Amino acid sequence: MDMLLNPLDRRHRLRDDIPVVPGAFPLVGHLPAIVCDLPRLLRRAEWTLGSHFWLDFGPAGHLMTCVDPDAFALLRHKDVSSALIEEIAPELLGGTLVAQDGGAHRQARDAIKAAFLPKGLTQAGIGNLFAPVIQARVQAWRDRGDVTILRETGDLMLKLIFSLMGIPARDLPGWHRKYRQLLQLIVAPPVDLPGLPLRRGRAARDWIDAQLRQFVRDARAHAARTGLINDMVSAFDRGDDALSDDVLVANIRLLLLAGHDTTASTMAWMVIELARQPGLWDALVEEAQRVGAVPTRHPDLAQCPVAEALFRETLRVHPATTLLPRRALQELQLGQRRIPAGTPLCIPLLHLSTSALLHEAPDQFRLARWLQRTEPIRPVDMLQFGTGPHVCIGYHLVWLEMVQFCIALALTMHKAGVRPRLLSAAEKGRRYFPTAHPSMKIRIGFS
Ligand code: HEM
């Protein structure tokens, strides 16, 4: 089937001398094709229009998209702003550090980042906290024999991120419900009526924020308790310029959001790749047997190169964050083009992650490209996490939990004499935006 583009929109138009991709629908623009078929849309636009073109994101407007590898450097450019993120998703990301620039961004980030570095994660014993939760989950998969993978990894990741925050497990079901409603804000049409996603999403956000505000108060009252929220509250309160509780609450909510869908999708793709490539599974089992136990500290991750390569290659081929929005504050040179001040920009991480200019045989899933490399990881090798001042805070955490998960899965399934098997078509129903993920329906058997 051809792409979800409007056959009636065939006009060739220019904005600021840059071509607009034809095929936009009224109101939703190119969103149907962006959500369901982004790689093909980008390739076709590059092939027919060149490296710079406008995509129509419906309610979020047109963003000038550049598929040239130079676009990656925009993420470090001093004249490029992240405030467009708040304009696009004010309900969900307004007031959070991902949408801020300069001093305000630095102040909020500084209060959080230490807890997410290898030292902070090891000191807080995060690996020990996660290992039994992951092991119990893969054990349950083995007992059940088959699972709907994305639902399962979504549940598991929510459990992990809540335990990281120090949110009691008994409260999880209530949070689960509210969290799902909160996510509706991403796609909610701007109509505020009872029963519609916008109203429900806002109510869920208010509920979550009220709970988080209580956690912040509790953290201040019993400063000795552990959990990331406590660490963040102490760091915020220690700062010279104390930030308001609203800022703190919005950023804790950001962490819950940022650390969930992305990791659930990556973990699901890892299992899918292991199921469809028996050689990968065999290599992982061999490594898991050699190390013998799930690693719990960052220094131990070096013992698991196959699991690490699997994490990096899965993200390279299936990046969870596909597009990053920015705005040019001044006129810029981008590749061969001058971009006027004020231009809204789209940096297509997905396209760069699978570009032949950056990787040999980019469409092939090859652990060897990581296992055989001798030079250290460069920013462009982990571009799926962004770069520059907004580079993902969760990178080391994701690395830890993905390696833990791989080793736990291999040990548990191998002990039971089973391996993962794909029970449905992997490519059908995948989505690329706002975050990318495999189809919700994909089932994996263990036999
Ligand atoms: C596979 C998993 C993940 C991927 C692919 C991913 C990807 C990204 C990307 C591309 C950015 C840059 C956004 C931008 O420049 O506008 C980002 C930022 C961020 N990520 Fe992640 N992320 C992942 C997991 C996590 C986790 C587990 C956490 C924390 C629990 C987290 C917290 C954040 C935060 C707070 C930011 C904003 C940083 C800032 O604006 O300074 N992420 N992530």
Side-chain angles (χ1 to χ4, degrees):
M1 200 184 84
D2 205 17
M3 249 179 290
L4 292 166
L5 291 172
N6 181 0
L8 302 179
D9 175 30
R10 294 168 184 273
R11 284 169 304 155
H12 284 274
R13 281 171 300 144
L14 297 175
R15 287 168 77 117
D16 297 327
D17 230 17
I18 292 172
V20 180
V21 173
F25 289 99
L27 301 177
V28 294
H30 299 113
L31 278 177
I34 291 172
V35 171
C36 298
D37 213 356
L38 183 63
R40 251 190 342 145
L41 177 67
L42 293 172
R43 270 200 304 270
R44 185 192 283 187
E46 181 182 23
W47 178 252
T48 53
L49 305 172
S51 56
H52 297 59
F53 45 83
W54 290 93
L55 285 177
D56 181 350
F57 285 75
H62 285 77
L63 306 193
M64 205 291 293
T65 307
C66 173
V67 291
D68 191 304
D70 284 359
F72 189 51
L74 290 173
L75 298 175
R76 293 183 170 278
H77 201 295
K78 66 175 181 29
D79 294 327
V80 167
S81 161
S82 288
L84 180 61
I85 295 178
E86 174 153 354
E87 289 172 43
I88 293 176
E91 302 281 347
L92 212 53
L93 299 175
T96 67
L97 68 107
V98 74
Q100 291 170 330
D101 300 320
H105 169 253
R106 247 189 327 273
Q107 197 186 0
R109 187 171 168 114
D110 283 353
I112 298 174
K113 69 176 186 206
F116 285 92
L117 292 173
K119 192 169 154 209
L121 292 169
T122 303
Q123 265 173 9
I126 299 305
N128 289 314
L129 187 70
F130 281 4
V133 180
I134 294 173
Q135 279 164 319
R137 181 58 63 124
V138 293
Q139 194 93 3
W141 293 356
R142 192 207 57 189
D143 296 344
R144 272 162 45 198
D146 69 282
V147 295
T148 308
I149 193 65
L150 187 59
R151 183 178 304 282
E152 285 293 321
T153 56
D155 270 13
L156 173 57
M157 292 319 305
L158 207 55
K159 202 161 188 185
L160 292 181
I161 190 104
F162 279 26
S163 69
L164 178 78
M165 296 281 178
I167 299 174
R170 63 170 185 279
D171 299 343
L172 261 171
W175 276 87
H176 232 113
R177 225 178 16 260
K178 296 293 177 189
Y179 186 82
R180 300 258 156 256
Q181 292 167 357
L182 174 76
L183 290 183
Q184 296 185 0
L185 285 176
I186 301 176
V187 287
V191 185
D192 184 13
L193 287 173
L196 291 187
L198 183 62
R199 181 71 63 90
R200 269 209 303 270
R202 280 180 176 162
R205 187 194 53 202
D206 294 345
W207 183 91
I208 287 173
D209 286 2
Q211 306 288 314
L212 294 179
R213 216 160 254 137
Q214 187 57 45
F215 287 143
V216 169
R217 278 197 288 271
D218 289 353
R220 289 206 178 101
H222 323 276
R225 250 183 28 198
T226 52
L228 195 83
I229 293 186
N230 288 48
D231 298 348
M232 281 168 58
V233 171
S234 322
F236 264 69
D237 290 351
R238 266 200 312 274
D240 300 338
D241 230 347
L243 292 160
S244 78
D245 281 5
D246 286 349
V247 177
L248 187 48
V249 164
N251 282 309
I252 299 174
R253 176 165 28 83
L254 168 70
L255 287 170
L256 288 177
L257 282 170
H260 176 244
D261 263 18
T262 46
T263 30
S265 159
T266 309
M267 197 177 263
W269 275 119
M270 266 163 82
V271 180
I272 293 168
E273 293 297 352
L274 286 167
R276 66 178 170 185
Q277 302 189 61
L280 288 186
W281 177 252
D282 295 339
L284 180 65
V285 166
E286 202 182 310
E287 176 166 284
Q289 284 185 300
R290 185 174 46 72
V291 295
V294 175
T296 52
R297 296 171 329 123
H298 258 273
D300 303 335
L301 299 183
Q303 308 301 317
C304 307
V306 172
E308 179 186 338
L310 193 57
F311 145 67
R312 294 194 186 281
E313 187 66 351
T314 302
L315 263 168
R316 192 191 66 76
V317 177
H318 307 290
T321 307
T322 51
L323 305 170
L324 292 179
R326 292 289 192 269
R327 192 184 289 285
L329 296 175
Q330 305 288 339
E331 191 186 69
L332 304 171
Q333 183 73 31
L334 179 54
Q336 301 303 315
R337 299 263 188 179
R338 294 302 294 168
I339 307 297
T343 303
L345 303 163
C346 168
I347 295 133
L349 295 185
L350 170 80
H351 192 82
L352 305 177
S353 190
T354 49
S355 162
L357 298 173
L358 298 175
H359 302 282
E360 198 189 308
D363 295 331
Q364 289 179 18
F365 194 101
R366 282 189 188 171
L367 291 196
R369 69 176 95 240
W370 306 103
L371 291 172
Q372 287 168 9
R373 68 183 282 136
T374 45
E375 70 273 30
I377 300 291
R378 300 159 305 165
V380 74
D381 298 318
M382 45 173 280
L383 67 82
Q384 304 76 20
F385 293 95
T387 190
H390 288 276
V391 67
C392 179
I393 281 184
Y395 170 68
H396 294 285
L397 178 70
V398 180
W399 181 355
L400 174 69
E401 56 197 5
M402 292 301 155
V403 171
Q404 288 194 306
F405 170 74
C406 284
I407 300 295
L409 187 74
L411 285 175
T412 308
M413 298 305 168
H414 185 69
K415 192 167 160 211
V418 298
R419 55 164 65 222
R421 297 180 200 274
L422 195 54
L423 303 181
S424 10
E427 298 303 319
K428 217 170 126 200
R430 58 192 289 185
R431 295 288 179 264
Y432 296 93
F433 189 78
T435 48
H437 58 80
S439 160
M440 205 63 207
K441 294 189 183 147
I442 293 186
R443 295 188 70 75
I444 298 285
F446 298 98
S447 58

